[in-house]
Amino acid sequence: MRKIILMGRSECGKTTLRQALNGEKLHYHKTQYVNHFQVVIDTPGEYAENHTLGRALALYSYEADVVGLLISATDTYSLFPPCVTAASTRPVIGIVTQIDQIDARPDLAKMWLELAGCKEIFFVSSYTGEGIDQILDYLAKDE
């Protein structure tokens, strides 16, 4: 199974997605530092929100096989600049989280991830389990 690093703003659902991918009980946990799990590297949102800390994301991405850019379906903006995936030496996928929320706009999040350069985009709800199997299947593929 390939290892994925999850990147995105604070509260976009990285840690909850990590818990769902690992089959753990879902509970809120603020990520304070980069955490390595079986197939997931979980990162603090502040690393993506601060250009100085963002350099660490570039370094940690070398420990992963796949980069996952997360945008919540409830977000009103994207942290990711256009064509940012071109800077990665790893495959980059987009993940739209929190699709089960009442004010969700997965179409908007998908558009932002496409502008960032993501060719493959997954739609997930860590609480309902929707989309989790598709990400696990993707990570199980040999490339």
Side-chain angles (χ1 to χ4, degrees), residues 18-86:
R18 187 257 310 155
Q19 292 169 356
L21 289 170
N22 287 330
E24 300 171 15
K25 181 179 177 188
L26 302 182
H27 64 282
Y28 178 76
H29 172 77
K30 173 66 182 123
T31 303
Q32 299 291 325
Y33 49 88
V34 175
N35 292 301
H36 289 258
F37 296 90
Q38 294 99 335
V39 296
V40 180
I41 301 172
D42 191 8
T43 64
E46 292 80 6
Y47 282 40
E49 297 166 349
N50 180 307
H51 75 278
T52 303
L53 295 173
R55 295 176 185 142
L57 292 177
L59 292 173
Y60 280 106
S61 71
Y62 288 105
E63 297 181 22
D65 302 303
V66 177
V67 174
L69 301 184
L70 277 70
I71 296 181
S72 168
T74 63
D75 281 350
T76 56
Y77 64 93
S78 170
L79 287 179
F80 306 118
C83 302
V84 71
T85 62

Side-chain angles (χ1 to χ4, degrees), residues 119-140:
K119 302 286 189 245
E120 290 205 59
I121 299 174
F122 298 87
F123 297 86
V124 300
S125 166
S126 296
Y127 286 94
T128 67
E130 184 177 346
I132 299 300
D133 286 341
Q134 286 83 3
I135 294 174
L136 288 171
D137 289 345
Y138 175 83
L139 293 175

